[in-house]
Amino acid sequence: DADVTQTPRNRITKTGKRIMLECSQTKGHDRMYWYRQDPGLGLRLIYYSFDVKDINKGEISDGYSVSRQAQAKFSLSLESAIPNQTALYFCATSDSGTGVLGETQYFGPGTRLLVL
Amino acid sequence: AQKVTQAQTEISVVEKEDVTLDCVYETRDTTYYLFWYKQPPSGELVFLIRRNSFDEQNEISGRYSWNFQKSTSSFNFTITASQVVDSAVYFCALSEARGGYNKLIFGAGTRLAVHP
């Protein structure tokens, strides 16, 4: 079984709809992240969470919210989806015990979101 | 500003050719980490390697090798005897400590196509 899972893997929605993307991990890591990937732009950080009670905005958090329901679960919500949120979304995890700079982030399989 | 540049947008080679993917970074930090990730056509992001700024030894893993040179701020990735399964987008990333967490700065990626 995959260590980091994301559901759904693909989603088509309409402008104005609220949707939630979910991420679960079995790696036992304390830190979790949400990124979006757009063609030619690499990955950009949306939100990150150090633990259940510590959630922080990344570089492009507008239009998104998150919830850390448990150490192993981190959800991303689009409150009112718009077409320019069409992207590939990745969840990632890391272990703070390895030291801040040395942490390796492990990524889930991604969720392809299309907003019409 | 911290930045990662992958100047090669796309590379096309024939199977069994050697290919080098370039990565140039900018940082003011003296301590940092560099990463390579692979994104095959299926879309997931696969961690390949992590290298810290104090270790300039080249690393080899099977057909993969990495050349880290601080003098030129480069961390290049070579695939020897390329195979069709190596076709993917490859991302170089730089880790810097900001606000107590490992911020990953990604390059835009290099798409490698290996043809039979």
Side-chain angles (χ1 to χ4, degrees), chain A residues 12-54:
Chain A
I12 300 174
T13 191
K14 294 182 179 180
T15 297
K17 294 290 187 182
R18 182 180 188 276
I19 67 165
M20 179 181 291
L21 309 182
E22 299 187 345
C23 176
S24 294
Q25 52 113 348
T26 59
K27 299 181 77 67
H29 290 171
D30 52 339
R31 298 184 172 193
M32 297 185 74
Y33 310 79
W34 275 104
Y35 291 87
R36 66 177 277 175
Q37 182 184 18
D38 299 279
L41 293 180
L43 277 78
R44 292 181 292 168
L45 183 65
I46 305 172
Y47 271 95
Y48 62 99
S49 171
F50 287 173
D51 61 36
V52 175
K53 296 181 180 179
D54 190 347

Side-chain angles (χ1 to χ4, degrees), chain A residues 9 31 33 35 37 40-43 45 48 50 59 88 90 98 100-109 112, chain B residues 31-33 35 37 39 41-45 47 50 91 95-104 106-108:
Chain A
R9 295 294 312 278
R31 298 184 172 193
Y33 310 79
Y35 291 87
Q37 182 184 18
L41 293 180
L43 277 78
L45 183 65
Y48 62 99
F50 287 173
E59 55 184 308
L88 179 56
F90 285 102
T98 57
V100 174
L101 279 183
E103 295 174 34
T104 295
Q105 293 186 22
Y106 296 92
F107 288 79
R112 291 189 183 278
Chain B
T31 302
Y32 51 88
Y33 277 77
F35 301 79
Y37 287 86
Q39 186 175 37
S42 50
E44 71 271 25
L45 271 170
F47 165 71
R50 179 187 75 192
F91 291 96
S95 168
E96 57 174 17
R98 289 293 180 269
Y101 88 99
N102 171 21
K103 178 178 180 181
L104 274 184
F106 285 87

Side-chain angles (χ1 to χ4, degrees), chain B residues 42-76:
Chain B
S42 50
E44 71 271 25
L45 271 170
V46 179
F47 165 71
L48 294 178
I49 190 172
R50 179 187 75 192
R51 174 55 54 87
N52 75 57
S53 54
F54 296 106
D55 181 3
E56 290 193 67
Q57 285 190 348
N58 291 336
E59 181 156 343
I60 298 174
S61 176
R63 296 183 297 106
Y64 294 173
S65 62
W66 290 269
N67 183 354
F68 175 36
Q69 292 193 341
K70 287 183 74 171
S71 60
T72 56
S73 297
S74 65
F75 186 43
N76 297 336

